[in-house]
Amino acid sequence: MKKILAIMMSLVFAFTIFGLSGCGNEEAQVEEETAAPELSEEYTAFADAVDVDFATEVTQKVAAFGDDEAVGMRSSGSPAEYETCQYLEGVMNDIGLNNVTVDDITVDGWTFNGANITFTNAKGEEQKIDLGGYQTTLQADNQEVELVYVNRGTEEDYEGLDVTGKLVLFEVNQEEDWWINYPAYQAKAKGALAAVAMREFVNKDEDGTRIGVQDVCGPADAPALAISRKDCNALKKAIKASGEDSIKVVLNADSKVTENTTSHNLYGEIPGAEDETIFVFSHMDGYFHAEYDDAWGVGASMAVAKAMIDSGYTPDKTIRFCIHGCEEWGREGSEYDWSTGAYEEIMTEHPDWVNGGFAIVNIDGGYPVEGEVNKGTRSSIELKQFAKNSVEELSDSTVFEWAFQGLSTYTEDFQWTRQGIPAIVAGDGNGTSYDDNGYHSTYDSFKYQPLYKEGSEEMIKTMGKVAIDLDSCLVRPMNFTARIKNFEKSLNDDAKDQFAEALDEAYAASDALKAVMDEVEKSGDDAAATELNEQTQEVYLAFQDSLLGLDFINVDAIIRHDMYEDNLDNLDGAIAALEKGNIQEAYDDYLWAVDWSWYDMYFDKETCDYMKNQLFSKRDDTWGADLIKYPHADTNAIVVSLRDKYDKKGADVSEEIEALKAIRDQQAGYLEEVYADELAGLQKATDLMNGIVTGE
């Protein structure tokens, strides 16, 4: 630290104006906003070397791998995933990457060799249906079994039905209603052989043949299969024509989960002169043929690597291209069952990569489907402005409207950011075309969603530019003031007073640190920059460790106090409504939004208890470890009681009010403890920033 102070005091620096994506001060950036930026010679040569046809060729070859002839699938630890890895190892060697390496990793594996149902349809004809699968175990060889339709698959939908040993067919909207794990486990709890789910999308497919899935977030012994809308309707019509509650079908299924098996990660690199690394991510596994998610990301990352090599780009930092296995799924019986390959890479195989890890550029996202006009990035808060500046230098030639957002848990960089390496991720911005039509489905293909070639070229060039711009920075361009502002904005009015002094100190420390970062960047001193980057990584970790949390429902990243503040607001609303005798208002407007209450309203206690326990029981070796400290607000008994009284005028709800008040007191206690942890973390980050500035 003293070395940095000495540099600041002894050197006289020439004034340098940095471009919009540069690593210098914000005033210089503002001065250049009105002028067309000059793109670097390195980037221009790279962009000229981008080969979109090569990216497309790699994409299509990756997409061709699949374990099931009917629907594809290259899943965690499966033969298709390994064949993909072998092919891509050859691609890396062919384009000239150095140190090409395949790492074996231990994960939970899933191989889906297909499933189908044969039945007599409403016309009296024999009909065969091919099915998709979820990461569960189900073996059947021409097994005759009854199939029952259970609407949405909720507890109420089973009333009057005996489904023991039967298949249950239901329709689920995993984005709007609930994840597959709830109705699938509910089927298990009712004694069903397996669930068959028709996943709804925002946009209906015209021919009804699309099959959609997601990661299962549940146990392997609650088996689930997936069916298209057209085939679901055919089964429903056959049941209706039979005049009974069910029909007989013949089931074949070969879906197997294997714990502690082998998957693979692959990487190759362009060596740099400095002891720091920029990582470029994509993943080789995928649902169905996954031509976009993430065969296109793999093709794009290889196109970035090839263009860098072909253009003669010599990076200052090593650029390491990592293609992960088991990104979509790799942990059985866990709420946090995705991004397993990336987790294993940074936590088990190469924890040493954290030291000198400069940043991540993740190309898993931003899929350029024909007709989409929106794209964007997701970034660690501290890199959000840098990403925006870098991308907007290409604004004169863009074919997209760009938006810039914060990170999500849904991409494989999340655990790496928890370890201290910030990320910039390709994303759809405000676009929804891919998600609404093809995400994790048989429509994830160029056949159903044609590739937008011009957009593909732009995404490759843009993400390559972000990597090159990061490489041009000596000092990691972290904006800690943005993190502090984001935290302050999230606090309710009462809490802001509690944090006022600490926030003022944090802002002052961040401003002083920024001045140090700017001066070291200008100095051109590699050693001083490396030392400073190690120190600011500690600041980043202090913010992450104390402020980052997860919510119970969407399993997305939040600031830790957000969940408890929201719970208190909704509990207060529910209590006030009940005190006025408004049971329906309390139930529909407030109670549903308190932690698990939404699921308690639709599924039995056995199902909900399993899912609640799963949050804590299998998380230690996942990216979700330690991000939720306290148990949920247990409203199950209150939900059941109020549901029974929902339509009863003048019903006595005094016991429910007292129970909710007790939960409110508990949540208020949790919130104060979370505030105390956040305050300590904010002060730790402030002390670290001040220590860098003073050299202590």
Side-chain angles (χ1 to χ4, degrees), residues 238-455:
I239 294 171
K240 184 176 181 180
S242 74
E244 305 291 337
D245 290 333
S246 65
I247 58 170
K248 290 191 180 299
V249 303
V250 176
L251 172 68
N252 287 284
D254 187 1
S255 177
K256 187 176 182 180
V257 169
T258 305
E259 294 187 22
N260 298 319
T261 189
T262 301
S263 181
H264 309 276
N265 288 325
L266 169 68
Y267 67 88
E269 52 196 33
I270 304 174
E274 300 172 5
D275 293 329
E276 292 182 312
T277 304
I278 294 168
F279 300 90
V280 179
F281 281 4
S282 57
H283 66 88
M284 68 185 82
D285 63 320
Y287 293 109
F288 305 103
H289 288 290
E291 204 147 11
Y292 286 103
D293 183 17
D294 191 33
W296 178 84
V298 170
S301 72
M302 292 298 91
V304 168
K306 184 176 184 296
M308 285 182 173
I309 293 168
D310 290 351
S311 66
Y313 181 67
T314 54
D316 293 322
K317 302 167 186 64
T318 293
I319 301 182
R320 184 172 293 134
F321 294 83
C322 300
I323 303 179
H324 296 122
C326 51
E327 189 272 351
E328 301 291 4
W329 181 90
R331 283 284 180 268
E332 189 271 339
S334 174
E335 187 72 24
Y336 318 106
D337 59 10
W338 66 96
S339 296
T340 313
Y343 177 92
E344 288 297 320
E345 186 165 50
I346 198 61
M347 300 301 292
T348 304
E349 296 299 318
H350 299 289
D352 54 300
W353 285 359
V354 172
N355 298 323
F358 192 80
I360 298 160
V361 177
N362 189 349
I363 309 185
D364 175 18
Y367 310 116
V369 300
E370 191 173 273
E372 183 58 83
V373 298
N374 294 284
K375 282 289 164 273
T377 64
R378 290 186 171 276
S379 308
S380 299
I381 295 169
E382 292 85 352
L383 288 184
K384 186 176 176 182
Q385 187 61 48
F386 175 87
K388 185 174 187 291
N389 292 341
S390 177
V391 172
E392 287 186 345
E393 282 194 337
L394 302 176
S395 60
D396 289 345
S397 59
T398 184
V399 297
F400 296 121
E401 292 290 331
W402 284 80
F404 303 92
Q405 301 161 331
L407 278 188
S408 166
T409 62
Y410 301 151
T411 52
E412 61 209 285
D413 46 85
F414 185 73
Q415 180 65 25
W416 292 52
T417 67
R418 290 193 66 189
Q419 297 305 110
I421 309 175
I424 298 172
V425 185
D428 279 329
N430 295 320
T432 63
S433 180
Y434 173 74
D435 284 348
D436 292 349
N437 292 284
Y439 181 55
H440 288 182
S441 81
T442 50
Y443 272 33
D444 186 347
S445 73
F446 293 172
K447 174 183 176 181
Y448 291 102
Q449 292 191 284
L451 179 70
Y452 181 18
K453 187 172 181 179
E454 189 176 0

Side-chain angles (χ1 to χ4, degrees), residues 67-73 110-118 127-134 136-142 167 194-197 211 213 223-228 231 249-256 288:
D67 289 303
D68 175 32
E69 185 177 344
V71 299
M73 298 287 190
W110 174 51
T111 300
F112 184 75
N113 288 317
N116 59 71
I117 287 173
T118 302
Q127 182 175 341
K128 179 182 175 183
I129 290 172
D130 287 316
L131 303 171
Y134 289 87
T136 55
T137 294
L138 181 64
Q139 299 288 311
D141 184 8
N142 288 324
L167 293 177
V196 181
I211 304 173
V213 298
L225 299 168
I227 192 170
S228 70
D231 291 337
V249 303
V250 176
L251 172 68
N252 287 284
D254 187 1
S255 177
K256 187 176 182 180
F288 305 103

Side-chain angles (χ1 to χ4, degrees), residues 145-151 157-163 166-169 235-249:
V145 61
E146 286 187 70
L147 180 141
V148 184
Y149 178 66
V150 292
N151 191 29
D157 291 321
Y158 286 89
E159 289 184 7
L161 295 175
D162 179 5
V163 300
K166 301 176 183 179
L167 293 177
V168 294
L169 173 68
L235 288 171
K236 288 164 62 177
K237 289 177 182 177
I239 294 171
K240 184 176 181 180
S242 74
E244 305 291 337
D245 290 333
S246 65
I247 58 170
K248 290 191 180 299
V249 303

